[in-house]
Amino acid sequence: MNEVTQARTAACGTAASSLACGDIKARLAEEDRQIAQCMGRVKTKLLVFSGKGGVGKSTVAANLARFLASTGRQVGLLDIDLHGPSIPRLMGVGHQAVSVRDHLLEPVRLDDHLALMSMGFLLSSDAESVVWRGPRKGSVIRQFLREVAWGDLDVLVVDAPPGTGDEPLTIAQTIGHPAGAIIVTTPQDLAVDDVRRSVTFCRQVNLPIVGIIENMAGLVCPHCGQSVDLFKKGGGESLAQEMETRFLGRIPIDPAIMLASDQGQAAVDGRCPNAMAQIFTGVVQILDHQNAHTGPRSEQLLGAVSPSAVEPRLTIAVPVADQRLSPHFGHCPDVALIEVDQP
């Protein structure tokens, strides 16, 4: 192939890639419109985060959704922990087949006030694993936001996987306002160090923080009544003070919570208020305070936003091989990175 032919071939490949990138931008813009339309029917979004796995984040998310629904609110619970979906078991519904109506996924209804969606409902069995790279996970999360028939909701509770990676970033940048983060930690320094990064993450993506919950804060002996601080005590409260955000309260280690979670039952019994119920009551008061205020600053009432927060942008990785789009993301020699503004 002579130099002229090579130059023409390269130019054609570049033009094709540019055209394809334009098509991708148009498709993403349409998806953004659909997400905004669907999430626009949700009054408030609460994203439950943790910087570390095993701190009880999913248990908090599940029981928060139940508690909010018990107040008469219309609540959705979205599980975006794609690799370890816990919500089906925690809510006692197990493996469910999801139906499709009018090109939308029908959420699994627990009752008249609470609807669920989880990757666990879309797997063929409880043993099936999800082996995906970041772009595929981001695409599925965006699909959950635009193609689930939530209808009109007072609150959408999102159970996010631990850390500050692809899934939390996608949901934080895409879900829209008003939204706020509830961050769960355990008291020991090892967990607090990771959760501190979650606080910073929320501020970097301009996501208000509702507050921090300290889980597994002490065990009361059922025999002598004395409290044993298995994982220390006060780490979550100290972190809230350090990061200048709300401390929502402590939840002690309670075998009743473990049993209720394994059986898919509520760990909060309204007839016998416990520490978890008191924390959730505080969250409800925050939501009521927010809903009582309107105007341009109403979305800030969920929590303080760092003055140094940056405007979120979405970065898309497009696989490229020989200056052309490649259908195989995992085997392509190069990628083209495209940044687009969020709506």
Side-chain angles (χ1 to χ4, degrees):
M1 184 182 294
N2 59 37
E3 293 181 0
V4 175
T5 304
Q6 288 178 343
R8 287 177 178 173
T9 302
C12 289
T14 302
S17 296
S18 299
L19 180 60
C21 288
D23 292 341
I24 291 173
K25 286 185 176 182
R27 177 172 59 80
L28 289 173
E30 174 58 21
E31 288 184 3
D32 288 340
R33 186 194 66 78
Q34 294 172 358
I35 290 171
Q37 183 178 37
C38 183
M39 290 296 101
R41 301 180 66 179
V42 181
K43 290 182 180 178
T44 303
K45 302 93 172 176
L46 292 178
L47 283 57
V48 183
F49 287 153
S50 69
K52 191 173 187 62
V55 300
K57 165 191 56 61
S58 295
T59 301
V60 169
N63 283 282
L64 174 61
R66 286 184 187 268
F67 187 86
L68 291 169
S70 73
T71 65
R73 290 171 167 82
Q74 291 295 326
V75 180
L77 175 56
L78 174 59
D79 180 7
I80 63 164
D81 194 342
L82 305 180
H83 298 288
S86 303
I87 292 304
R89 175 177 288 277
L90 285 167
M91 304 306 287
V93 295
H95 189 270
Q96 295 272 336
V98 175
S99 60
V100 178
R101 180 169 58 88
D102 296 332
H103 306 290
L104 296 177
L105 296 171
E106 287 288 334
V108 174
R109 290 224 154 258
L110 195 67
D111 54 42
D112 291 339
H113 291 278
L114 182 55
L116 321 171
M117 180 52 67
S118 169
M119 190 69 201
F121 299 145
L122 304 179
L123 301 177
S124 59
S125 72
D126 292 335
E128 184 180 355
S129 62
V130 175
V131 187
W132 288 346
R133 296 181 185 272
R136 182 75 180 274
K137 293 187 286 186
S139 177
V140 168
I141 292 171
R142 288 171 60 83
Q143 187 174 2
F144 278 154
L145 294 180
R146 73 178 188 275
E147 294 183 8
V148 176
W150 295 110
D152 295 322
L153 294 179
D154 293 305
V155 186
L156 178 64
V157 178
V158 179
D159 179 26
T164 57
D166 292 313
E167 298 96 312
L169 181 59
T170 298
I171 197 74
Q173 290 186 325
T174 310
I175 199 167
H177 296 290
I182 293 176
I183 301 176
V184 182
T185 186
T186 45
Q188 73 270 36
D189 293 343
L190 187 63
V192 170
D193 285 346
D194 289 335
V195 173
R196 182 181 290 107
R197 298 183 183 98
S198 291
V199 175
T200 304
F201 163 84
C202 290
R203 289 174 174 165
Q204 286 177 326
V205 298
N206 203 16
L207 179 65
I209 300 171
V210 178
I212 295 174
I213 294 175
E214 183 178 307
N215 196 23
M216 306 183 193
L219 168 66
V220 178
C221 176
H223 304 292
C224 68
Q226 300 225 350
S227 179
V228 181
D229 297 330
L230 296 179
F231 301 114
K232 300 173 63 173
K233 188 176 182 179
E237 184 173 11
S238 297
L239 178 63
Q241 293 174 351
E242 172 194 339
M243 304 302 285
E244 298 182 344
T245 189
R246 293 185 187 92
F247 179 63
L248 295 174
R250 294 186 181 88
I251 302 173
I253 297 173
D254 187 346
I257 295 178
M258 180 274 295
L259 290 173
S261 299
D262 278 352
Q263 296 170 3
Q265 298 176 355
V268 177
D269 188 345
R271 297 168 298 178
C272 183
N274 55 24
M276 190 179 283
Q278 293 174 7
I279 290 172
F280 295 161
T281 299
V283 173
V284 168
Q285 292 172 349
I286 293 171
L287 294 180
D288 287 343
H289 181 60
Q290 178 208 10
N291 292 333
H293 293 73
T294 57
R297 292 183 55 83
S298 62
E299 66 188 39
Q300 302 287 340
L301 294 174
L302 287 172
V305 181
S306 169
S308 61
V310 297
E311 189 68 23
R313 293 173 64 84
L314 180 66
T315 301
I316 306 161
V318 181
V320 177
D322 296 328
Q323 297 184 329
R324 297 177 182 273
L325 294 180
S326 169
H328 304 293
F329 195 97
H331 304 288
C332 64
D334 201 0
V335 296
L337 297 179
I338 303 171
E339 283 196 349
V340 297
D341 293 326
Q342 294 296 294

